[in-house]
Amino acid sequence: MSTSCTTGLPGLDKVLKGVLPGDNIVWQVESWQEYRDFVVPYAEAAHRDGKRLIYFRFASHPELLTPGQCYQIHSPDPAQGFEGFVNEVHDVITHSGEGSVCVFDCLSELSETWRADSMLGNFFMLTCPRLLAYQRLAYFAIYRHTHSQFARTPIYETTQFMLDVFSHHGQLYIRPLKVQYRSGEVLNHIHMREGDDFRPVESSAEIAEVLRSSDWRGLLSEPRPDRWKRLVLTAKELLRDEYQDRPVSTEKKHSLFEQILLEMIGEDPQMHKLAREMLILEDLLAICNRLIGSGRIGGKAAGMIIARGILRQREPDLHQKLEAHDSFHVGSEIYYTFLIQNQVWWIRQQQRDSETFLEGVDEAKVRILNGTFPQHTIQQFRDMLSYFGEAPFIVRSSSLLEDGYGNAFAGKYESIFCVNQGPPEARLEALLDAIRQVYASALDEEALRYRKRRGLLHRDEQMALLLQRVSGQRYGRYYYPQLAGVGLSYNPYVWHRDIDPGAGVIRLVFGLGTRAVDSNEDDHTRVIALNAPDLQPSATHENTQRKMDALDLSGNRITSGSFDEMVTEDAALPLQLFTSCRPGEKYPRLTFKGLLHKTELMGDLRRILEALEQAYGVPVDVEFSVNFLRNLEYRINILQCRPFQIRNDEDGDLGVDLLPRHKWIDAKGPVIGVGLYSQIDRVILVKSEAYSMLTEQKQHGVAKAIGRLNRLTPENIRYVLIGSGRWGSREPSLGVPVRFGDINRSIAILERIGMHDNLVPDASLGTHFLNELIECEILYAAVSPGEPGNVFHLDMLFEYPSILKELLPETDASILEALHVVDLPNLHFRANVFSQQVELFQT
């Protein structure tokens, strides 16, 4: 087999100073016939030289080669999506054998199928280096005057050859636009094809005549918009005609809505159906006006926008109370382009394989955090910052799989506040850093393990972004909303018989909602059952918020501090709604009593949650903020809405009244989630006093040991986890600092309120990982041994030897002392949501 390479046209080889294995030759043509005129001699030469010619057939134009003219024909389907198409093509290139050469159909249709020129550019940036690495000479073509700079520029910068082809009076001409690593003297010289030879055109008269017929569009021509932009412009023109009472085709309007919706929201049938019912064309174009790049806007952004559409349609009076939103969106295509241009793509591909999904992750994250963006994208970011001025905003993940039916990804990806103060260039760099951090969080181990657990590694997970203005206003040096929180349309916190789970529940804070969304071991949130707002989760003492989060405009950062120290009297701040003061108390406390009794807010939030649940068909999880204007008028901002899947069990009690031979726990306390009754095989117990005596490093060691036990536990082993303090605490002194992946195989988690006699942190109620608990159907209960009537005899477990040393032979002696693991027969666990009773006993 010959190792030399040729175009099959000796004259062209001479013009190009020869072609080499690995060269990519891109032909810019008016028609597929012009391209075929160069493909056929190339294929004939490959056949003569005994080379395997691989033809990639995917376009709608007639075939360039017949089966007899090539070694193999492969037909990857662009409609399967960018990632699947790329992987299939590259797999063929990799395994096509030494000395193979390639021909691709005209590439231009790919940008139509993928709805963006940038995706065509991305395909070429990935494929050209792969062909070069495997030394495959390849032919490509694009149509002239068809693509924007987002396709032309990356193709031009990546290929070795770009040749302009045009016709005049039946003759074909070529003009080399790029000849990498060859003599530059051939550039922009025009050559006329005469059989197998190419004659340079040197007469100025002939050159002028040829170029005048080459369809040059002139200096005033606008860059051609890609398919996505053409679609949006057509929709805008249609609405303009409609507003001016010109006749508009209903079918055309519906078709445009469907096309834009599919490209923007995605193909999840449930979310797509919901969006189709609740949104209108004007909603989609409003998003387009604030879309940076192209591609889909992701689950979080879609959920927020659909929620607003639901309320507009079903609760118009409540919709009038919503704060207007002016969010920007970074399309998922920007993420693809960023990964490709910063050499992260191939590392990311390993995540599709459960055997290699963690390989190269650290290197990829370093590349992301140091990555660069295309200049046209940076300019769009500048325009966004110009719109916001110095108003704070937050960069939020909005991946394709996020916030959909069944996959919350709660807390898996980052959200970064941009306080957005200072000179424009400093604000731009802060924005780019925030975006890089969110992109990098898609490769966090916990996020990847979550995807593996839920069978999502093979799914296309692109990271779109939602750039939201921070709701609130400035109070002195601080910026924050007056109220923020999380609302659930189904209340899994049934701590009292008077609570109706179907009425919903909210977790409410003063200031930024970070304290309602994230775990905060040093403070409390107000948990409000919407049908019984005055009931408190704890019957022993009233817990109130003492700290708040805000944006420090002077320090250009997010900060936390004492409510008493950070809040000063302000006419725009109705503190009388949020605070109350008992006789003898020096400072008012955040009880929200005025809010509950003097406003309609709780009723409005209940109606909002009910309307959203009815539309979604499942319970929903909503993030919101509230700001009061004057005369007790307020605006609610829906920041996020997603399905909140739960079981429909009543209380989990199977009705079996077993007489216990050993009753180890029989206690009342908050039972979070649905009830449970199950025989169990194992108990993992953290011994309070021994754990409290450990150093912080050893306390982290306990958490790691539990994680190893969790991963080693076979699926058929059912175990309960018992420990003092808050599971998942970031402060080891307040509880065991496990991550959800360390405990996700348990069937129930018990939080023993109180670390030791001198430290009794408030129960966390499982909110550190609430969504994961619900998704995995894990019950969480908090019990206090010191409460009257509670039975708590875990010392009985110590009559049985711990098997921890057998399971983890290298465990440190101090950790062995603090962690007790027993396997026992006939062990039962029962938790009743309505009676708030927890039992652990042996029969």
Side-chain angles (χ1 to χ4, degrees):
M1 181 184 296
S2 173
T3 57
S4 62
C5 289
T6 176
T7 64
L9 298 169
L12 183 57
D13 289 345
K14 183 178 179 181
V15 169
L16 301 180
K17 309 298 184 185
V19 291
L20 300 172
D23 281 341
N24 291 257
I25 302 177
V26 177
W27 303 85
Q28 183 172 268
V29 297
E30 289 287 344
S31 68
W32 68 272
Q33 292 95 332
E34 290 180 349
Y35 180 38
R36 183 182 59 184
D37 286 343
F38 292 97
V39 166
V40 170
Y42 168 68
E44 291 173 347
H47 181 72
R48 287 194 307 268
D49 294 340
K51 295 181 180 296
R52 299 186 183 92
L53 189 143
I54 311 299
Y55 174 28
F56 290 96
R57 175 80 174 118
F58 50 81
S60 63
H61 62 64
E63 63 183 13
L64 302 172
L65 299 170
T66 65
Q69 292 175 296
C70 50
Y71 176 73
Q72 283 180 344
I73 298 179
H74 288 276
S75 300
D77 182 10
Q80 69 180 296
F82 176 84
E83 197 159 343
F85 184 86
V86 168
N87 288 336
E88 187 172 344
V89 168
H90 288 195
D91 187 61
V92 173
I93 293 170
T94 302
H95 299 99
S96 58
E98 185 178 354
S100 298
V101 295
C102 302
V103 169
F104 289 76
D105 273 347
C106 185
L107 300 179
S108 293
E109 286 186 21
L110 294 179
S111 63
E112 293 292 308
T113 303
W114 296 330
R115 308 175 183 94
D117 270 358
S118 55
M119 298 309 290
L120 171 55
N122 287 337
F123 168 75
F124 200 83
M125 285 192 292
L126 288 172
T127 304
C128 177
R130 175 56 62 102
L131 290 161
L132 180 61
Y134 284 90
Q135 295 289 281
R136 314 284 193 250
L137 178 65
Y139 269 29
F140 301 90
I142 58 172
Y143 292 133
R144 179 184 290 106
H145 302 312
T146 299
H147 301 290
S148 65
Q149 60 175 322
F150 305 120
R152 294 198 313 268
T153 300
I155 290 175
Y156 178 84
E157 291 177 348
T158 310
T159 190
Q160 285 77 44
F161 291 94
M162 179 171 276
L163 308 177
D164 197 21
V165 180
F166 45 89
S167 302
H168 178 59
H169 293 326
Q171 292 288 332
L172 274 180
Y173 295 82
I174 68 164
R175 178 173 54 174
L177 302 178
K178 181 180 182 181
V179 286
Q180 192 175 47
Y181 308 128
R182 283 22 171 223
S183 172
E185 66 184 36
V186 303
L187 287 177
N188 294 313
H189 284 261
I190 299 173
H191 293 76
M192 181 178 73
R193 181 177 178 181
E194 296 178 337
D196 290 349
D197 201 6
F198 286 78
R199 177 179 65 83
V201 179
E202 297 178 343
S203 165
S204 62
E206 188 176 1
I207 290 173
E209 184 176 351
V210 169
L211 288 180
R212 191 172 61 177
S213 66
S214 67
D215 194 28
W216 188 62
R217 297 294 172 90
L219 295 174
L220 299 179
S221 64
E222 293 291 334
R224 179 180 175 85
D226 61 12
R227 181 181 183 274
W228 168 249
K229 290 186 178 178
R230 296 198 302 272
L231 190 63
V232 172
L233 291 173
T234 302
K236 287 184 175 181
E237 291 171 3
L238 182 144
L239 288 183
R240 190 179 302 116
D241 289 341
E242 188 174 65
Y243 294 152
Q244 295 176 356
D245 293 327
R246 296 172 183 167
V248 169
S249 166
T250 303
E251 292 77 11
K252 183 177 181 181
K253 183 176 181 181
H254 176 73
S255 175
L256 288 168
F257 175 84
E258 287 291 329
Q259 291 180 69
I260 296 176
L261 182 66
L262 180 62
E263 297 183 16
M264 184 174 290
I265 302 298
E267 300 177 0
D268 179 272
Q270 292 170 289
M271 290 298 289
H272 197 267
K273 178 177 182 294
L274 196 57
R276 186 187 296 113
E277 293 172 352
M278 300 301 168
L279 301 182
I280 57 178
L281 185 58
E282 287 86 341
D283 295 325
L284 303 185
L285 292 183
I287 298 171
C288 296
N289 286 338
R290 289 184 165 84
L291 179 62
I292 296 172
S294 60
R296 290 169 179 161
I297 61 174
K300 188 171 292 179
M304 177 195 70
I305 292 162
I306 291 171
R308 290 174 172 271
I310 292 169
L311 296 177
R312 178 182 59 204
Q313 185 179 125
R314 299 193 173 186
E315 298 285 353
D317 63 318
L318 291 177
H319 186 263
Q320 293 297 315
K321 294 184 178 182
L322 294 185
E323 181 176 326
H325 86 94
D326 56 356
S327 303
F328 282 78
H329 308 269
V330 179
S332 56
E333 165 270 321
I334 297 288
Y335 178 64
Y336 264 160
T337 302
F338 181 85
L339 294 185
I340 292 166
Q341 292 189 349
N342 291 286
Q343 289 78 53
V344 181
W345 178 268
W346 295 115
I347 299 176
R348 181 176 177 270
Q349 289 303 296
Q350 296 179 95
Q351 296 165 13
R352 301 174 69 88
D353 187 336
S354 61
E355 300 298 322
T356 62
F357 75 104
L358 292 178
E359 292 183 9
V361 166
D362 291 340
E363 179 186 352
K365 291 177 74 172
V366 169
R367 293 184 185 182
I368 289 174
L369 293 173
N370 292 282
T372 59
F373 294 85
Q375 284 303 311
H376 59 265
T377 300
I378 290 179
Q379 184 55 51
Q380 288 188 293
F381 289 140
R382 291 183 192 276
D383 293 341
M384 185 210 78
L385 289 174
S386 176
Y387 172 87
F388 275 143
E390 290 193 71
F393 60 89
I394 183 171
V395 180
R396 308 187 72 187
S397 66
S398 184
S399 78
L400 266 57
L401 296 180
E402 199 170 357
D403 288 0
Y405 282 80
N407 298 303
F409 280 84
K412 297 298 180 292
Y413 300 141
E414 290 282 3
S415 292
I416 307 295
F417 281 100
C418 288
V419 186
N420 197 31
Q421 307 296 294
E425 286 305 310
R427 293 190 288 120
L428 173 64
E429 193 53 44
L431 167 61
L432 298 181
D433 281 343
I435 292 173
R436 293 183 188 106
Q437 289 180 62
V438 178
Y439 280 174
S441 70
L443 282 79
D444 282 346
E445 181 176 343
E446 187 172 349
L448 293 175
R449 290 194 181 278
Y450 177 88
R451 289 178 60 190
K452 182 183 179 182
R453 287 196 305 270
R454 303 190 69 80
L456 300 173
L457 286 177
H458 68 286
R459 293 279 299 277
D460 187 10
E461 175 67 322
Q462 299 177 45
M463 182 61 76
L465 300 173
L466 175 62
L467 309 182
Q468 276 182 312
R469 181 190 296 272
V470 177
S471 176
Q473 70 179 73
R474 181 170 189 156
Y475 301 98
R477 65 180 292 174
Y478 300 116
Y479 185 102
Y480 52 85
Q482 295 168 7
L483 301 170
V486 175
L488 307 175
S489 64
Y490 179 91
N491 184 0
Y493 304 92
V494 182
W495 62 84
H496 192 280
R497 287 185 177 275
D498 291 342
I499 291 174
D500 174 12
V505 63
I506 64 170
R507 296 180 65 214
L508 191 67
V509 296
F510 182 88
L512 291 177
T514 44
R515 290 196 163 255
V517 175
D518 301 328
S519 59
N520 287 281
E521 294 83 2
D522 60 346
D523 204 11
H524 310 287
T525 61
R526 180 65 191 269
V527 180
I528 301 173
L530 290 176
N531 76 304
D534 289 318
L535 289 177
Q536 293 289 297
S538 174
T540 56
H541 61 282
E542 185 178 33
N543 299 316
T544 59
Q545 178 186 351
R546 294 175 175 83
K547 294 184 178 181
M548 62 175 288
D549 293 346
L551 300 179
D552 182 350
L553 300 178
S554 300
N556 206 18
R557 61 188 178 90
I558 185 172
T559 188
S560 299
S562 167
F563 167 79
D564 297 330
E565 295 175 356
M566 293 179 64
V567 174
T568 57
E569 292 291 337
D570 191 302
L573 192 59
L575 288 175
Q576 72 279 6
L577 293 179
F578 314 138
T579 64
S580 57
C581 194
R582 290 177 176 175
E585 289 182 337
K586 183 177 180 181
Y587 297 106
R589 294 183 301 150
L590 282 165
T591 60
F592 303 108
K593 287 185 177 180
L595 183 77
L596 300 182
H597 299 112
K598 296 180 182 179
T599 76
E600 299 177 349
L601 181 60
M602 296 302 108
D604 286 348
L605 290 174
R606 181 174 178 177
R607 287 175 58 202
I608 286 173
L609 292 171
E610 184 179 55
L612 295 176
E613 178 178 315
Q614 288 177 353
Y616 268 80
V618 297
V620 295
D621 170 0
V622 170
E623 290 181 22
F624 64 90
S625 63
V626 182
N627 290 284
F628 281 80
L629 305 177
R630 56 184 63 86
N631 299 324
L632 299 186
E633 184 181 354
Y634 49 83
R635 292 290 178 266
I636 303 170
N637 199 350
I638 303 296
L639 305 174
Q640 179 175 315
C641 179
R642 60 189 175 198
F644 187 66
Q645 303 279 10
I646 61 173
R647 293 184 293 174
N648 294 320
D649 302 6
E650 289 293 328
D651 64 0
D653 191 332
L654 301 185
V656 180
D657 188 17
L658 298 174
L659 297 176
R661 182 158 47 91
H662 295 290
K663 184 179 286 188
W664 294 335
I665 297 177
D666 187 357
K668 285 186 177 293
V671 177
I672 308 306
V674 296
L676 173 69
Y677 171 69
S678 175
Q679 183 171 337
I680 61 174
D681 307 292
R682 176 176 295 172
V683 174
I684 298 178
L685 171 68
V686 180
K687 295 188 282 187
S688 303
E689 294 299 330
Y691 176 82
S692 298
M693 296 297 291
L694 296 177
T695 64
E696 182 173 316
Q697 182 180 6
K698 291 294 179 65
Q699 289 173 337
H700 279 286
V702 170
K704 291 178 181 178
I706 291 172
R708 291 196 295 273
L709 286 172
N710 181 71
R711 287 185 284 274
L712 289 172
T713 301
E715 292 185 2
N716 62 332
I717 297 293
R718 293 161 294 183
Y719 79 89
V720 170
L721 197 58
I722 304 174
S724 295
R726 302 168 174 184
W727 286 101
S729 171
R730 294 175 184 172
E731 296 292 333
S733 62
L734 299 177
V736 186
V738 291
R739 297 184 302 177
F740 184 72
D742 297 325
I743 57 177
N744 65 323
R745 294 186 182 180
S746 62
I747 67 166
I749 302 169
L750 265 65
E751 175 179 333
R752 181 183 183 274
I753 299 175
M755 294 296 296
H756 50 77
D757 291 342
N758 297 320
L759 180 59
V760 185
D762 188 53
S764 70
L765 301 180
T767 54
H768 293 77
F769 18 66
L770 177 62
N771 278 284
E772 290 92 337
L773 292 173
I774 297 298
E775 287 179 358
C776 297
E777 300 182 335
I778 300 173
L779 183 134
Y780 193 103
V783 294
S784 177
E787 288 293 318
N790 282 356
V791 174
F792 210 80
H793 294 319
L794 290 182
D795 53 321
M796 293 183 179
L797 285 174
F798 303 144
E799 298 176 7
Y800 302 90
S802 175
I803 61 171
L804 178 58
K805 185 68 173 179
E806 300 172 26
L807 298 174
L808 302 177
E810 298 180 359
T811 304
D812 182 87
S814 60
I815 295 176
L816 289 171
E817 185 63 28
L819 198 57
H820 197 75
V821 183
V822 293
D823 284 354
L824 293 173
N826 302 319
L827 199 59
H828 299 264
F829 178 83
R830 179 160 50 189
N832 187 302
V833 171
F834 293 109
S835 67
Q836 296 288 282
Q837 194 80 13
V838 179
E839 298 172 88
L840 178 66
F841 53 86
Q842 191 178 33
T843 57

